[in-house]
Amino acid sequence: MRMRSGLKPYGAAKRLVQLIAAFLMPVAAPAAAAPALVLAFGDSLTAGYGPKPPEAFPVQLEARLRRDGFKVSVRNAGVSGDTTAQGRARLAWVLQSLKARPDLVILELGANDMLRGIDPAQTSANLSAMLAELEKRRIPVLLAGMKAAPNLGEDYRRRFDAVYPALAKRHGVPLYPFFLAGVVGRPKLHLGDGMHPTGPGVAVIVRGISPQVTRLLRR
């Protein structure tokens, strides 16, 4: 009985020392949140054909989003000349090569299909397959639309222009109706080909599309 009664104050003192040590021990700061990842997946309009590298769409979009208070990284996954078939072929590889799942993919393809006169039904099938792949991976998408040039004829123009709204409705994704809105028809904002934007033209695109991007990132 005497031995047990003698252990009580020792045990209490030991416990007190442990509590003091735990209180004084430095607490590790929480890890900083990784930047949101936006993947700009498209053709030369995404890749930055024409403007200087610092004026490319992904660079200007990232700068705009950061000015708006977002901690974000916009990855350039544009390949000049890509059709929707070529984009479809490389999408899974691009996603697998990333270290993290994108918080948003801006899907911008179809201009080269239109310029080559590819059947809009094929363009639709390729874009639909890419949207399905992203949906399967639970990656949010902003579909960037394209419009056909007038010289391709009314029938082709009608069928091509209908592709993007129909896909957005079918897959339940938001649509930015025309990626080049505000640029086409304004010579100072595009190159001589009438399609590829200059640096200031890219700024117009970014200003137009960024409100939808910010809404999707806030989700």
Side-chain angles (χ1 to χ4, degrees), residues 45-122:
L45 299 175
T46 294
Y49 175 85
K52 298 176 182 178
E55 296 178 323
F57 172 73
V59 178
Q60 291 204 47
L61 179 61
E62 181 178 300
R64 173 69 180 245
L65 294 173
R66 293 195 173 202
R67 286 197 302 270
D68 290 342
F70 288 90
K71 186 178 181 182
V72 64
S73 172
V74 180
R75 186 73 62 86
N76 190 341
V79 174
S80 293
D82 254 14
T83 61
T84 56
Q86 291 166 321
R88 177 180 180 178
R90 68 182 173 91
L91 177 61
W93 178 87
V94 170
L95 294 173
Q96 290 167 5
S97 69
L98 299 173
K99 294 182 179 180
R101 184 174 66 177
D103 297 281
L104 176 66
V105 170
I106 300 173
L107 181 58
E108 177 279 304
L109 281 166
N112 290 308
D113 292 45
M114 178 264 295
L115 293 174
R116 298 181 187 190
I118 292 174
D119 186 345
Q122 188 60 53

Side-chain angles (χ1 to χ4, degrees), residues 89-159:
R90 68 182 173 91
L91 177 61
W93 178 87
V94 170
L95 294 173
Q96 290 167 5
S97 69
L98 299 173
K99 294 182 179 180
R101 184 174 66 177
D103 297 281
L104 176 66
V105 170
I106 300 173
L107 181 58
E108 177 279 304
L109 281 166
N112 290 308
D113 292 45
M114 178 264 295
L115 293 174
R116 298 181 187 190
I118 292 174
D119 186 345
Q122 188 60 53
T123 299
S124 178
N126 290 329
L127 288 169
S128 183
M130 286 184 273
L131 290 169
E133 177 69 20
L134 293 165
E135 182 180 5
K136 182 178 72 175
R137 296 172 183 259
R138 297 185 178 181
I139 300 174
V141 184
L142 174 58
L143 179 62
M146 183 53 56
K147 293 185 180 297
N151 63 345
L152 292 171
E154 184 57 33
D155 180 66
Y156 186 93
R157 185 177 185 178
R158 176 183 54 79
R159 292 171 59 220

Side-chain angles (χ1 to χ4, degrees), residues 153-188:
E154 184 57 33
D155 180 66
Y156 186 93
R157 185 177 185 178
R158 176 183 54 79
R159 292 171 59 220
F160 184 88
D161 290 358
V163 165
Y164 297 89
L167 286 173
K169 183 177 181 180
R170 185 190 313 164
H171 290 272
V173 299
L175 171 68
Y176 185 66
F178 184 31
F179 190 72
L180 292 170
V183 174
V184 173
R186 300 175 64 184
K188 292 183 179 180

